[in-house]
Amino acid sequence: MKTLHTDIAVIGAGTAGLAAYRAAKAAGKRALLIEGGPYGTTCARVGCMPSKLLIAAAEAAHNAAHTEAFGVHVGGEITVDGAEVMDRVKRERGRFVGFVLDGVENIPAEDKLRGYARFVSDTVLEIDDHTQVHASRVVIATGSRPSVPPPFRELGDRLVVNDDVFAWNDLPGRVAVFGPGVIGLELGQALARLGVEVRVFGVSGSLAGISDPQVRQSARKIFQREFYLDPDARVLETKRVGDEVEVRYITLDNAERTERFDYALVATGRRANVDGLGLENTSLELNVHGVPVFDRETMQAGDSAIFIAGDANADAPLLHEAADEGRIAGENAARYPDIRNGLRRAPLAVVFSDPQIAVAGQGHGRLIPGTFVVGEVDFSDQGRSRVMLKNRGLLHVYADIETGRFLGAEMVGPSAEHIGHLLAWAVQQELTVARMLEMPFYHPVIEEGLRTALRDAAAKLALARDALRNETAEQETA
Ligand SMILES: Cc1cc2nc3c(=O)[nH]c(=O)nc-3n(C[C@H](O)[C@H](O)[C@H](O)COP(=O)(O)OP(=O)(O)OC[C@H]3O[C@@H](n4cnc5c(N)ncnc54)[C@H](O)[C@@H]3O)c2cc1C
């Protein structure tokens, strides 16, 4: 077995790993980038980019089929050529992956090592069975993979995950989607709009990461008008029959139904790739999911020389977070033991469904009951949204009663990707609702809907403060 010595070993050449490697090199250290799978990153190969390409095709089909309300009649039948759709998805995906590969190509050969890494100790890694790497510090950036519950595994090649969808040469006829999280909802709706017959089954009512019960209910109703979606499904049996998947379930109107599908697309969550790393050979403390306990400001695991970034730490499995975390981990690995807090941004998550979903700042589920007010706008009568026939959805903004500070928001509705950015920026700037209402709002724009929600929050803040004042006065006179 070969032996290599380096300052910093980075395990995984995805978004987080590449950022960590570059930060370590920029700090003047020797660094080794270890990759076991294909180069190209999850985001470009089988994540953010191909999913958005499929969604773009779906939007084109949907828009073409919904022009009549404007008095615009597109002649003839609208057809979707599945092979052409998938060809474009793969071609464009290839371009994005190509940019990443060019970047990897530019990394000196002596800094790259192929193979899967396992810890032998805190500072020694074994790469497959060919190399032992001695590193003063290690960055774990091994990403995540789809987590597939055991009963689905019996479906063999009729079970697909997101990676498989983007390898299709044509669109199938019928797909059962399990898991209406972000990935399941995005892919399920896109396939439905491309003419695939889709059923989406969930458990416990959760939907696309929305924690606000009213926003979730609004989203649920909107999507249910378009395709079969049961976030709280009672699936009785899933089995393979010939080349098909048979699903027996209780329908939304309480009848038992058995249907056959070409595939079961399982999107029931993702699992951090830390289970095969030999973490038992390290000094690291692990949480209940087997993920090293780490500091999200420094990425350091305990007080060790090991840092963990990106999906591998299961904290905020999003592309921009992986890039930030990778950079912080690389910088701190280079500085170790003199580590520093890195820049963490206000939380922002977007779901590219139609209408889109956004969660900015603190979502409803993280707020302390009784400490905040909820400002609301229902988009059904919002001017610009109605003009464009995009008038569906609900925005809730949350504000702190004591300080008037804007805390966060959840929404399903038009342009959520843009409104979400405005709101996350406001959270990071620590703006109050009053200060946000001093900002310009053009007319007629969807942001006027946001202003309505903020005004509603301002009015409720005034009421809540009056109530607090009265309560205090009563207590003082009692
Ligand atoms: C379908 C889908 C859609 C998504 N859409 C979005 C989106 O719209 N917006 C967004 O922000 N995020 C999105 N994401 C999430 C985003 O893709 C991830 O958060 C991001 O790619 C994580 O980057 P990473 O560097 O942590 O992991 P990865 O890019 O997966 O890199 C990890 C690397 O580590 C390697 N590796 C693993 N174990 C070892 C080992 N033991 N030794 C050596 N190498 C190893 C792997 O082969 C892999 O190359 C999406 C994800 C999916 C699946």
Side-chain angles (χ1 to χ4, degrees), residues 11-16 34-38 41-43 46-48 51-52 115-117 141-143 162 183 270 273 277 310-311 317-319 322 352:
I11 314 177
T15 302
I34 305 160
E35 174 56 61
T41 75
T42 290
C43 176
V46 291
C48 333
S51 59
K52 266 77 264 176
Y116 283 95
T142 46
N162 56 290
I183 295 172
R270 293 180 68 82
N273 288 327
L277 280 177
D311 283 16
L318 298 168
L319 187 277
F352 294 85

Side-chain angles (χ1 to χ4, degrees), residues 184-209:
L185 183 68
E186 284 189 357
L187 295 182
Q189 184 181 39
L191 292 174
R193 288 186 164 190
L194 289 166
V196 178
E197 204 166 320
V198 165
R199 307 271 182 269
V200 183
F201 304 105
V203 283
S204 69
S206 64
L207 182 59

Side-chain angles (χ1 to χ4, degrees), residues 115 125 251 285 440:
L125 301 170
T251 60
E285 182 194 342

Side-chain angles (χ1 to χ4, degrees), residues 172-465:
R174 296 168 62 83
V175 173
V177 180
F178 292 90
V182 175
I183 295 172
L185 183 68
E186 284 189 357
L187 295 182
Q189 184 181 39
L191 292 174
R193 288 186 164 190
L194 289 166
V196 178
E197 204 166 320
V198 165
R199 307 271 182 269
V200 183
F201 304 105
V203 283
S204 69
S206 64
L207 182 59
I210 308 171
S211 70
D212 186 312
Q214 283 169 274
V215 177
R216 188 166 56 210
Q217 181 62 8
S218 169
R220 179 182 178 136
K221 281 192 190 151
I222 291 168
F223 296 119
Q224 280 178 335
R225 264 178 242 136
E226 196 181 314
F227 53 93
Y228 187 91
L229 163 69
D230 186 353
D232 203 4
R234 280 169 294 164
V235 176
L236 306 174
E237 194 181 20
T238 307
K239 65 176 180 192
R240 182 167 177 147
V241 180
D243 262 354
E244 290 180 313
V245 175
E246 189 174 278
V247 183
R248 191 160 61 84
Y249 63 101
I250 307 293
T251 60
L252 285 161
D253 48 10
N254 257 329
E256 188 176 315
R257 187 190 288 165
T258 302
E259 283 186 295
R260 298 243 178 124
F261 299 90
D262 298 307
Y263 294 105
L265 168 57
V266 178
T268 46
R270 293 180 68 82
R271 178 173 180 182
N273 288 327
V274 290
D275 44 337
L277 280 177
L279 292 175
E280 64 279 6
N281 302 324
T282 67
S283 62
L284 300 186
E285 182 194 342
L286 308 183
N287 69 17
V288 286
H289 304 293
V291 175
V293 175
F294 75 105
D295 181 332
R296 75 182 305 278
E297 308 296 327
T298 64
M299 300 298 130
Q300 187 184 22
D303 56 6
S304 71
I306 302 174
F307 299 79
I308 182 161
D311 283 16
N313 65 34
D315 180 46
L318 298 168
L319 187 277
H320 68 284
E321 300 281 7
D324 282 351
E325 292 177 7
R327 196 192 58 254
I328 296 168
E331 283 170 359
N332 274 332
R335 306 177 59 90
Y336 178 83
D338 172 28
I339 60 160
R340 304 224 171 131
N341 285 354
L343 168 71
R344 295 314 305 257
R345 301 165 213 261
L348 172 62
V350 174
V351 183
F352 294 85
S353 49
D354 179 21
Q356 296 177 333
I357 292 163
V359 178
Q362 289 183 55
H364 186 271
R366 296 187 51 206
L367 299 169
I368 302 164
T371 64
F372 67 99
V373 296
V374 181
E376 174 177 302
V377 64
D378 183 321
F379 284 98
S380 51
D381 275 329
Q382 203 274 322
R384 181 69 190 287
S385 311
R386 203 174 167 89
V387 164
M388 300 186 299
L389 286 180
K390 299 273 182 203
N391 52 323
R392 300 173 300 166
L394 184 69
L395 164 65
H396 274 184
V397 296
Y398 315 119
D400 182 58
I401 293 175
E402 208 179 308
T403 60
R405 269 244 321 259
F406 172 63
L407 299 171
E410 295 197 15
M411 85 175 272
V412 56
S415 294
E417 66 177 283
H418 305 299
I419 307 253
H421 275 83
L422 283 185
L423 294 177
W425 294 10
V427 169
Q428 194 161 321
Q429 292 295 311
E430 303 185 355
L431 298 185
T432 60
V433 167
R435 196 91 180 86
M436 289 166 81
L437 282 167
E438 289 170 9
M439 303 293 166
F441 289 86
Y442 201 74
H443 176 73
V445 292
I446 291 166
E447 285 76 0
E448 288 173 298
L450 165 59
R451 184 175 58 190
T452 304
L454 290 172
R455 283 178 175 160
D456 187 34
K460 286 173 176 160
L461 278 173
L463 284 176
R465 285 199 195 127

